[in-house]
Amino acid sequence: MPNRAERRAQSKRSSTVGPPRYDASRRSNVGLSDERALQERSRRLAEHRSATWTPVSSTQEERMEEASTPAARAGSSLRGVMRIISWTLIVLSMIAFLTVMWLPSHPAWLIILVSAVFVIGVLSLFLTAEDARFNTHVDEHGTAL
């Protein structure tokens, strides 16, 4: 009666008699394509589309059309000017804060004033933000494209 090691070796030999199976982790099978990918490619070709799949957002074209309507762009000029002013306030307050930090004697009211201008600039960015429906870089679920 064969011992345990002999039985294991015999079972391994008997199980590897057939051809090697597809294994995604092996490098030798990198060039092989599986049946599902072939079926998907043939389905796409039958529908007269490109054979390779590329991600697209069907709602992106609709949003671009909505954003290009005159009603959607009516307030964009004032909103754009306010956004530029907000960013200018933020940049100027950062420069002023760095300047105040290097002064040998800085009064407390100056630091408070610079901090308040910075906070006003950041809050005004939230107030001048556009509606999320017209953001072409986000899909309907809020995921970045």
Side-chain angles (χ1 to χ4, degrees):
M1 180 162 180
N3 64 14
R4 176 190 263 175
E6 291 173 357
R7 287 193 310 257
R8 284 186 179 174
Q10 186 179 9
S11 68
K12 281 185 182 180
R13 272 185 258 125
S14 66
S15 67
T16 59
V17 171
R21 298 285 181 197
Y22 175 76
D23 184 12
S25 64
R26 289 181 34 202
R27 289 187 150 201
S28 63
N29 295 328
V30 171
L32 297 177
S33 54
D34 57 333
E35 185 178 350
R36 186 189 327 166
L38 290 173
Q39 291 292 333
E40 181 67 22
R41 183 174 178 171
S42 68
R43 184 187 61 80
R44 292 186 64 79
L45 285 173
E47 293 174 356
H48 303 293
R49 289 195 263 169
S50 174
T52 57
W53 179 82
T54 55
V56 294
S57 174
S58 60
T59 60
Q60 188 172 7
E61 292 97 17
E62 297 169 3
R63 289 184 184 188
M64 291 295 286
E65 292 170 3
E66 289 177 5
S68 64
T69 60
R73 289 181 288 154
S76 64
S77 62
L78 177 63
R79 184 171 284 157
V81 170
M82 291 302 294
R83 214 177 288 135
I84 290 172
I85 291 172
S86 299
W87 279 109
T88 305
L89 278 176
I90 291 170
V91 169
L92 289 177
S93 65
M94 288 188 324
I95 293 170
F97 191 74
L98 290 175
T99 305
V100 168
M101 290 299 289
W102 291 107
L103 291 177
S105 62
H106 43 278
W109 64 268
L110 188 59
I111 295 175
I112 293 171
L113 178 70
V114 170
S115 300
V117 169
F118 180 77
V119 168
I120 289 171
V122 170
L123 290 178
S124 65
L125 278 179
F126 286 108
L127 296 176
T128 59
E130 286 185 348
D131 192 5
R133 291 181 301 164
F134 302 117
N135 188 352
T136 57
H137 301 291
V138 178
D139 66 359
E140 67 271 3
H141 303 292
T143 306
L145 297 176

